[in-house]
Amino acid sequence: MIRMVKPDLDEIDFRIAYELKNDCRISYKQLGSKISLSSSSVYERTKKMEEKNVILSYNAKVDWGKFGYSIHAFILLKDDKFIGDMPSFLKNRDEVFNLYMVSGEYDYMLEVHIANKDDLGNFMDYLYRKVGRTYTLLILREICEVPE
C-alpha cells in the first residue's frame, strides 16, 4: 500500500500511529520492539504527534450491548425542518454516540446505540418531527474492523 506522508511525518510515525490505533494501551517498550525503535524514541515521537494533533485521542472499543443498548444503527438525516444549530441539537442526545456531516442526499449521519425497538421508534419519530427525513441502517454484526 502506498501511503501519503506529510513532510514533517515519516514512515516510523505512521507505524507508531497505526499500532496505537490497533492497541492504544500498548506500552512504549512493546511498541518500540514491534517497530525496532527504543521506547524513549517512541515516547518522543508519540508526544510530538499529540502536540501536532496527529494523534487526537486514545479510545476504548466498548460493547454497548452489555450496557443494555442492544440496537446499534446509523441514521441519515435530511435537514428539512430544523432551524438552528443542528450539531448542538443532536450531540446533546444520549442516543447519539457520533455525528458526521455528510455529502449527498442527506446532511448528517448519526451513529446511535439504543436499548430496544420501541426506543428506536420513539427516537425516529422525534427526529422526523424536529428535523426531517431519515434513513436508518441497523447494524446486524461487525464483520471486521478495517484499518483506517
Side-chain angles (χ1 to χ4, degrees), residues 9-146:
L9 300 170
D10 61 19
E11 183 67 20
I12 295 170
D13 293 324
F14 178 87
R15 290 175 59 203
I16 291 169
Y18 188 82
E19 291 298 331
L20 288 170
K21 177 217 164 293
N22 290 328
D23 180 4
C24 65
R25 296 185 67 187
I26 191 170
S27 72
Y28 294 120
K29 183 178 179 180
Q30 290 171 311
L31 183 51
S33 67
K34 274 188 152 190
I35 63 171
S36 302
L37 202 64
S38 71
S39 56
S40 61
S41 293
V42 170
Y43 174 81
E44 289 173 22
R45 284 173 172 266
T46 302
K47 290 302 169 196
K48 284 180 185 173
M49 286 191 284
E50 290 171 357
E51 290 166 5
K52 293 177 182 177
N53 291 322
V54 174
I55 296 175
L56 301 174
S57 68
Y58 296 90
N59 300 305
K61 184 171 181 176
V62 177
D63 181 351
W64 294 107
K66 300 249 175 21
F67 288 99
Y69 296 101
S70 61
I71 295 178
H72 182 198
F74 286 91
I75 302 171
L76 294 168
L77 280 178
K78 179 67 177 166
D79 185 3
D80 292 331
K81 303 173 185 177
F82 190 79
I83 298 173
D85 182 11
M86 179 68 73
S88 292
F89 168 74
L90 293 171
K91 75 179 182 183
N92 291 325
R93 294 292 306 202
D94 291 339
E95 302 90 344
V96 178
F97 280 62
N98 285 304
L99 170 62
Y100 307 91
M101 181 180 278
V102 297
S103 65
E105 181 180 349
Y106 291 87
D107 301 310
Y108 298 95
M109 182 173 71
L110 314 176
E111 180 179 9
V112 299
H113 293 271
I114 295 179
N116 56 52
K117 66 181 182 171
D118 292 332
D119 288 349
L120 177 61
N122 292 336
F123 184 59
M124 299 303 299
D125 290 343
Y126 172 79
L127 290 174
Y128 183 74
R129 281 192 318 276
K130 296 285 187 180
V131 180
R133 286 182 283 147
T134 64
Y135 186 89
T136 303
L137 302 159
L138 293 176
I139 304 303
L140 301 177
R141 75 175 157 256
E142 183 177 307
I143 304 299
C144 69
E145 191 169 321
V146 179

